[in-house]
């Protein structure tokens, strides 16, 4: 980062994919809001981001790197499959999609780590298997 160290933090627990928004009627208008699971995950991300925030939200262009770790299915708890997981050869190819997984992280960091997620000009998001579900996040100014 320009004049600042890279920001790194881990969001513990299973990463919650962004769910479709909910709609409700308020008077004459229609209001949208997050589904409860998505809202709760964003609140967790905000708590972790707050503990790792810079003095001021980043204003520059940002490179965001996120590694998502999901627990492998029970059928992968054999020694040969665990060896493939440890080497990175066996990776999750099932839903949820990466873009849905990273959305809650981006929303949770906005106004805390950076000013607006439109500042993200580069992004690397990867899925791995791991016995401890989590998201490892790196933020770099570029």
């Amino acid at each position: 980062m320009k004049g600042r160290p890279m920001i790194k933090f881990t969001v513990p627990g299973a990463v919650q994919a962004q769910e479709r928004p909910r709609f409700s009627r308020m008077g004459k208008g229609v209001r949208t809001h997050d589904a409860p699971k998505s809202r709760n995950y964003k609140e967790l991300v905000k708590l972790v981001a707050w503990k790792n925030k810079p003095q001021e939200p980043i204003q520059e262009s940002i490179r965001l790197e996120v590694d998502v770790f999901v627990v492998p299915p029970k059928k992968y708890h054999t020694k040969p499959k665990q060896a493939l997981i440890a080497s990175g050869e066996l990776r999750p190819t099932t839903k949820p999609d990466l873009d849905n997984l990273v959305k809650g992280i981006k929303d949770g960091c906005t106004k805390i780590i950076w000013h607006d997620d439109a500042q993200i000009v580069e992004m690397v998001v990867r899925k791995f298997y791991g016995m401890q579900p989590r998201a490892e996040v790196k933020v770099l100014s570029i």
Side-chain angles (χ1 to χ4, degrees):
M1 297 178 102
K2 297 177 183 175
R4 292 183 256 187
M6 170 178 47
I7 297 172
K8 291 172 61 170
F9 58 90
T10 300
V11 181
V15 176
Q16 175 62 47
Q18 180 68 34
E19 297 178 298
R20 294 187 184 273
R22 306 286 193 233
F23 298 93
S24 61
R25 293 192 180 271
M26 291 290 253
K28 293 183 180 181
V30 175
R31 194 175 143 188
T32 63
H33 52 90
D34 282 333
K37 285 182 183 176
S38 296
R39 184 176 57 245
N40 292 343
Y41 185 71
K42 286 180 191 178
E43 289 300 318
L44 173 62
V45 173
K46 284 180 184 183
L47 284 172
V48 175
W50 190 259
K51 291 178 182 177
N52 295 279
K53 72 182 183 92
Q55 283 190 320
E56 296 290 325
I58 298 168
Q59 300 293 324
E60 298 92 11
S61 299
I62 293 171
R63 174 184 170 93
L64 176 64
E65 299 177 10
V66 180
D67 287 344
V68 175
F69 292 84
V70 297
V71 176
K74 290 207 187 265
K75 68 181 180 179
Y76 290 170
H77 289 208
T78 64
K79 280 191 178 186
K81 294 286 188 188
Q82 289 296 309
L84 291 172
I85 288 170
S87 70
E89 293 179 58
L90 183 59
R91 308 246 314 252
T93 56
T94 57
K95 292 188 180 222
D97 300 343
L98 283 176
D99 52 341
N100 290 333
L101 289 171
V102 78
K103 180 73 172 129
I105 294 168
K106 288 171 43 183
D107 289 350
C109 291
T110 298
K111 303 274 191 256
I112 298 171
I113 301 292
W114 52 73
H115 178 68
D116 188 282
D117 60 4
Q119 294 169 246
I120 300 169
V121 297
E122 291 182 20
M123 190 165 54
V124 176
V125 184
R126 305 180 297 179
K127 274 195 297 190
F128 296 97
Y129 283 124
M131 297 313 286
Q132 297 295 322
R134 66 193 182 280
E136 294 179 356
V137 180
K138 291 182 191 173
V139 182
L140 304 95
S141 277
I142 55 171

